[in-house]
């Protein structure tokens, strides 16, 4: 009789455990003398003092800027390269062993190479992201472009669509869901790489802050920094999913229609 | 159903596997044709030439021939194989931990709505946290030890397998389950003939993705955390100025990545020969 009730129950079911855990953490750690587990209140105070204050501009914004720039370059480059590989079987065959190898390489091992080539610079951080995170988007785009149904491809040709029309109105929209699956992996790798590259080679940034805190036994700072990194990972995924939902809206509509039919 | 997306929509494992190993799930080397081999040869020659002529600074990129001979020298080096062993055994042990944790967790989440809703927020919050973010915390708690490595590998590699298992449990064929019940199959027969085969494709996909993440986290904890293994050897070679060795070690991690992915993909074939995702190749 009341529609709000099930919704409320779901909300309550989803919230009780996180809230309980937070409360348990708060009280169990209150007045903790264990140097590894400082009180949650101390962690939150450190978090607020460092990350809502002075460090937001000096460390957080540059880190985020490099991360977003690296991701966008990887995304654009990955889609372009993937489209080319998807359209040309010869290029695909030629590039396959190299692309497969680079995809299998654990991306953080590129770090020493980036350091040697670019030194400790912002360019290095961005270059590392692009070198390491571009491959899932390349492979998924190529696969998505290839997966175009033969009838659709013939149809678009017999309607004499130009190459640009075929690419942007037929092939790329068809590949979009797979492109987004690739972009999501690229996003996760971008975060990993900005953090790792700042940990190893930077004098500022969130990654540097966390590892440096650990090395100087600033325990509350280590916890607070881990919290920041976790939040960056969580929030960027939320933004990405919102964008994906918007862009792929027509896809979901079509799937619903297909399932309903 | 003209667009392939509509075709692949109902069976997510096929979509997922494509997302990480697009269409090339099988042993990649088998597909190495002359064009591919030619590209590799041309790249190696270009690398060699660029480095010898100074186009690439030799101080940061030694010629390919030096790297390859350093690699050949490693093959006879016991310390190298020990490092490979550390990296691989941590990754695989971590993967074992993932299975031990994820299977009961996935069953609880998949079978009980209360558990699913209660853990939803925590899992959705933890999933996107980059495992490297946990390295400083891991170092603080355990130091550069095997425990630290395994904890971080398990944390990082848990999610793909867990997500696939939960999804798979939701997808177990209800018609087949009802059929099993009306044929009065006993619990064991239902489990082995209906539930396990239904879950297997999801488990295989999740495990393969988790395995490659386990390798990445294993190497990173060595690279940054200083635990024993290939990652630490890379740092040591770099600080000793042994660049050919450093590049050879980096190439080694790539080969390990290829082998792990190839091994899991190869294991899927005989296990899942009956599944539509494996038949696709012959239809096309």
């Amino acid at each position: 009789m009341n529609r709000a009730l099930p919704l409320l129950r779901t909300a309550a079911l989803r919230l009780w455990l996180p809230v309980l855990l937070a409360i348990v953490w708060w009280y169990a750690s209150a007045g903790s003398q264990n140097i590894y587990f400082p009180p949650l209140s101390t962690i939150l105070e450190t978090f607020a003092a460092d990350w809502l204050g002075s460090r937001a501009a000096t460390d957080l914004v540059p880190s985020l800027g490099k991360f977003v720039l690296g991701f966008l370059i990887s995304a654009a480059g990955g889609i372009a390269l993937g489209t080319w590989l998807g359209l040309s079987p010869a290029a695909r065959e030629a590039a396959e062993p190299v692309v497969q190898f680079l995809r299998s390489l654990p991306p953080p091992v590129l770090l020493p190479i980036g350091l040697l080539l670019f030194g400790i610079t912002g360019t290095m951080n961005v270059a590392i992201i692009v070198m390491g995170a571009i491959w899932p988007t390349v492979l998924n785009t190529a696969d998505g472009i290839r997966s175009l149904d033969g009838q659709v491809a013939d149809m678009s040709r017999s309607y004499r669509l130009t190459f640009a029309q075929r690419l942007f109105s037929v092939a790329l929209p068809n590949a979009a869901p797979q492109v987004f699956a690739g972009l999501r992996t690229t996003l996760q790798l971008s975060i990993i790489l900005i953090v790792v590259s700042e940990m190893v080679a930077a004098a500022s940034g969130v990654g540097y802050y966390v590892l440096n805190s650990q090395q100087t036994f600033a325990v509350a700072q280590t916890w607070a920094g881990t919290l920041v990194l976790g939040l960056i990972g969580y929030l960027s995924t939320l933004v990405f999913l919102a964008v994906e939902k918007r862009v792929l809206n027509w896809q979901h509509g079509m799937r619903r229609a297909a399932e309903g039919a | 159903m003209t667009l392939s997306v509509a075709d692949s929509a109902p069976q997510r494992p096929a979509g997922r596997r494509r997302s990480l190993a697009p269409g090339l799930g099988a042993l990649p080397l088998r597909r190495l044709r002359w064009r591919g081999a030619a590209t590799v040869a041309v790249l190696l020659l270009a690398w060699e030439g660029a480095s010898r002529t100074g186009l690439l600074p030799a101080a940061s990129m030694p010629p390919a021939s030096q790297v390859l001979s350093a690699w050949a020298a490693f093959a006879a080096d016991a310390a190298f194989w020990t490092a490979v062993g550390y990296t691989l055994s941590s990754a695989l042990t971590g993967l074992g931990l993932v299975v031990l944790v994820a299977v009961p967790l996935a069953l609880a989440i998949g079978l009980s709505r209360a558990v699913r809703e209660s853990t939803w927020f925590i899992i959705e919050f933890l999933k996107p946290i980059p495992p490297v973010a946990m390295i400083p915390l891991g170092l603080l708690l355990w130091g550069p030890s095997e425990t630290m490595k395994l904890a971080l590998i398990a944390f990082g590699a848990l999610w793909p397998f867990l997500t696939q298992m939960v999804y798979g449990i939701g997808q177990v064929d209800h018609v087949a389950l009802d059929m099993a019940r009306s044929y009065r199959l006993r619990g064991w027969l239902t489990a082995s003939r209906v539930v396990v085969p239904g879950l297997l494709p999801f488990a295989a996909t999740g495990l393969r993705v988790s395995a490659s993440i386990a390798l990445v986290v294993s190497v990173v904890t060595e690279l940054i955390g200083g635990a024993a293994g290939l990652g630490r050897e890379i740092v040591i070679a770099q600080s000793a100025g042994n660049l050919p060795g450093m590049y050879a070690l980096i190439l080694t991690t790539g080969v390990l990545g290829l082998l792990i992915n190839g091994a899991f993909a190869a294991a899927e074939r005989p296990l899942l020969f009956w599944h539509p995702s494996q038949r696709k190749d012959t239809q096309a």
Side-chain angles (χ1 to χ4, degrees), chain A residues 244-259:
Chain A
E244 178 180 3
K245 202 174 168 198
R246 237 190 123 86
V247 175
L248 296 185
N249 206 3
W250 62 274
Q251 278 278 349
H252 300 311
M254 240 180 61
R255 192 177 301 169
R256 269 196 301 277
E259 273 166 13

Side-chain angles (χ1 to χ4, degrees), chain A residues 14 16 94 100 103 140 178, chain B residues 18-20 24 39 117-118:
Chain A
R14 286 186 173 183
W16 74 269
Q100 280 296 331
R103 181 186 69 93
N140 269 33
Q178 260 175 284
Chain B
R18 214 180 270 163
S19 76
L20 280 124
L24 306 153
T39 316
E117 296 291 352
S118 302

Side-chain angles (χ1 to χ4, degrees), chain A:
Chain A
M1 57 190 168
N2 191 345
R3 277 201 183 164
L5 212 63
L7 248 169
L8 242 143
R9 222 169 62 198
T10 308
L13 257 177
R14 286 186 173 183
L15 282 177
W16 74 269
L17 191 60
V19 171
L20 182 73
L21 284 179
I23 292 173
V24 167
W25 187 3
W26 180 275
Y27 282 105
S29 66
S32 160
Q33 296 301 314
N34 185 331
I35 63 157
Y36 295 118
F37 297 98
L40 181 57
S41 53
T42 314
I43 296 174
L44 291 181
E45 274 161 30
T46 315
F47 174 80
D50 277 1
W51 294 106
L52 303 178
S54 56
R55 286 190 181 274
T58 56
D59 291 64
L60 186 58
V61 173
S63 290
L64 284 180
K66 285 183 276 189
F67 153 57
V68 172
L69 184 64
F71 170 70
L72 290 179
I73 296 176
S74 312
I79 293 174
L81 189 58
T83 306
W84 181 50
L85 292 184
L87 291 175
S88 155
R92 195 160 58 236
E93 199 185 311
E96 187 175 316
V98 177
V99 174
Q100 280 296 331
F101 183 77
L102 289 171
R103 181 186 69 93
S104 303
L105 201 64
V109 302
L110 293 168
L111 210 71
I113 304 181
L115 262 178
L116 287 167
L117 290 178
F118 300 102
I120 301 180
T121 57
T123 319
M124 184 276 283
N125 298 122
V126 176
I128 287 284
I129 294 182
V130 177
M131 284 196 295
I134 195 172
W135 308 112
T137 302
V138 171
L139 286 166
N140 269 33
T141 308
D143 222 44
I145 296 273
R146 264 172 72 194
S147 75
L148 186 64
D149 189 87
Q151 286 185 4
V152 177
D154 292 344
M155 175 102 116
S156 59
R157 212 163 301 144
S158 55
Y159 274 22
R160 306 219 174 166
L161 298 187
T162 62
F163 177 73
Q165 280 172 324
R166 269 189 283 146
L167 184 61
F168 291 106
S169 308
V170 182
L172 276 173
N174 171 61
Q178 260 175 284
V179 173
F180 268 93
L183 284 175
R184 196 166 169 187
T185 312
T186 295
L187 181 78
Q188 285 162 348
L189 287 178
S190 302
I191 301 176
I192 289 180
L193 287 168
I194 187 69
V195 174
V196 173
S197 70
E198 285 184 347
M199 279 180 176
V200 174
S204 67
V206 190
Y208 168 77
Y209 168 93
V210 189
L211 195 67
N212 190 49
S213 306
Q214 182 266 321
Q215 283 163 350
T216 53
F217 273 93
V219 177
Q221 276 80 351
T222 311
W223 281 94
T226 307
L227 200 60
V228 175
L229 293 178
L231 281 175
I232 293 177
Y234 180 66
L235 294 177
S236 58
T237 307
L238 275 192
V239 172
F240 180 83
L241 289 180
V243 172
E244 178 180 3
K245 202 174 168 198
R246 237 190 123 86
V247 175
L248 296 185
N249 206 3
W250 62 274
Q251 278 278 349
H252 300 311
M254 240 180 61
R255 192 177 301 169
R256 269 196 301 277
E259 273 166 13

Side-chain angles (χ1 to χ4, degrees), chain B residues 51 178 183 201 237 259:
Chain B
S51 180
D178 290 343
Y183 274 24
L259 286 179

Side-chain angles (χ1 to χ4, degrees), chain B residues 218-240:
Chain B
S218 178
V219 171
V220 179
T221 51
E222 295 156 6
L223 199 75
I224 295 178
L230 281 173
R232 191 174 71 180
E233 297 302 315
I234 291 176
V235 177
I236 292 174
Q238 185 197 5
S239 37

